[in-house]
Amino acid sequence: MRKKIVAGNWKMNNNKEETAQLIAALKAKGSFAGVEVKVAPTSIHLVQAVDALIDSAIEVIGQNMHQATNGAYTGEISASMLQSIGVNSVILGHSERRAYFNETDEALAEKVATAVKHDMEVVFCFGEELADRQNEQHFKVVEEQLSKALFSLPNTAWGKIVLAYEPVWAIGTGETASPEQAQEMHAFIRGLVAQQYDASVAENVAILYGGSVKSANAQEIFSKPDVDGGLIGGAALNADDFFAIVQSI
Ligand code: PEP
């Protein structure tokens, strides 16, 4: 059976004290049966978060990582740096990284390959912009993103890949894809993976939905057969809201 996953992307939010408070509030919620829960604090709070969550089922993951092993890349973080502090999973390809930091599909292919080489899990984000959907190009755009960044990976790498379909028009906008739109795209994505690899790889890969998921809409979206959980932005900054979303799965 495929994993169910809910991951919170805290982006560039929360200072040290606020990070500690959010973690304490999440820990107080108790256990999360049947679902993998992950949180992605900003990089300078990763060590603190790993330490605070050491005895908890909540996994700490990175928001980004550089493709090079090491070297003169001021401000960047490598796979082995993440691993050295106990972070073994990383979000790659978030639309904000693509839009504001010029991350291309080609660069993302390198990042994914580096993460896989280090045996790290990758939560790979992709999704169309509003104009793509309005022009009915959304399937084509998603196929291209996946093909360029992921489809050179060997079958064996797919055990470490989590897909996160995040239509850009739904991120932080309050506008969510309808459960039917999410299911349609997730089924399409699973079909692409089956075509490129095989039925078993496609059946086993978790495909998360991201884009204005809230406690009020999570259950309906998560009820769709090809939606295996969510990548949550804004609502992940509040422990009650995030826990309610986790419980919706
Ligand atoms: C995100 O940034 O990945 C995201 C889904 O954000 P939000 O939930 O705020 O739309």
Side-chain angles (χ1 to χ4, degrees):
M1 216 176 66
R2 290 198 286 278
K3 288 185 213 168
K4 299 278 184 197
I5 299 170
V6 177
N9 176 10
W10 295 352
K11 310 192 187 186
M12 197 175 73
N13 292 297
N14 291 338
N15 63 22
K16 186 178 178 190
E17 183 53 34
E18 289 160 346
T19 299
Q21 282 168 4
L22 181 51
I23 289 171
L26 285 173
K27 282 179 81 171
K29 296 293 182 190
S31 62
F32 310 98
V35 50
E36 282 188 16
V37 178
K38 303 172 193 284
V39 294
T42 188
S43 59
I44 62 162
H45 297 138
L46 285 170
V47 171
Q48 170 194 356
V50 169
D51 287 349
L53 289 166
I54 203 93
D55 54 352
S56 128
I58 301 174
E59 183 186 4
V60 178
I61 70 175
Q63 292 182 14
N64 184 35
M65 186 202 89
H66 197 269
Q67 57 269 43
T69 309
N70 65 288
Y73 300 101
T74 301
E76 292 290 333
I77 298 170
S78 71
S80 59
M81 286 173 185
L82 289 172
Q83 289 185 303
S84 71
I85 57 162
V87 173
N88 293 298
S89 176
V90 64
I91 297 171
L92 293 176
H94 193 280
S95 66
E96 288 150 18
R97 298 291 319 170
R98 293 175 189 258
Y100 308 139
F101 302 97
N102 305 317
E103 289 196 1
T104 60
D105 291 321
E106 291 71 22
L108 289 168
E110 290 181 35
K111 288 187 180 214
V112 171
T114 300
V116 165
K117 193 169 133 202
H118 282 80
D119 208 25
M120 290 186 73
E121 178 189 75
V122 173
V123 179
F124 185 77
C125 304
F126 56 96
E128 81 282 1
E129 310 225 358
L130 182 59
D132 300 323
R133 186 160 277 266
Q134 285 168 337
N135 296 326
E136 298 186 3
Q137 295 297 302
H138 44 298
F139 293 117
K140 182 167 169 274
V141 167
V142 161
E143 181 167 1
E144 234 172 71
Q145 290 172 326
L146 290 176
S147 160
K148 286 185 180 165
L150 299 184
F151 286 172
S152 299
L153 291 172
N155 267 39
T156 49
W158 279 78
K160 290 286 184 180
I161 303 293
V162 173
L163 299 177
Y165 168 60
E166 299 205 300
V168 179
W169 47 272
I171 296 180
T173 59
E175 192 167 338
T176 319
S178 69
E180 292 70 31
Q181 284 173 320
Q183 170 56 27
E184 183 185 37
M185 182 58 90
H186 283 220
F188 172 74
I189 293 161
R190 208 176 294 289
L192 286 178
V193 176
Q195 223 174 64
Q196 188 66 28
Y197 293 90
D198 58 41
S200 154
V201 172
E203 191 47 40
N204 286 312
V205 68
I207 310 178
L208 314 185
Y209 169 79
S212 298
V213 175
K214 309 267 179 264
S215 52
N217 58 24
Q219 198 160 17
E220 218 191 334
I221 296 170
F222 294 166
S223 71
K224 295 297 177 190
D226 286 296
V227 179
D228 305 309
L231 180 56
I232 318 300
L237 294 171
N238 177 288
D240 290 337
D241 291 344
F242 187 63
F243 186 62
I245 292 170
V246 171
Q247 283 188 310
S248 304
I249 218 159

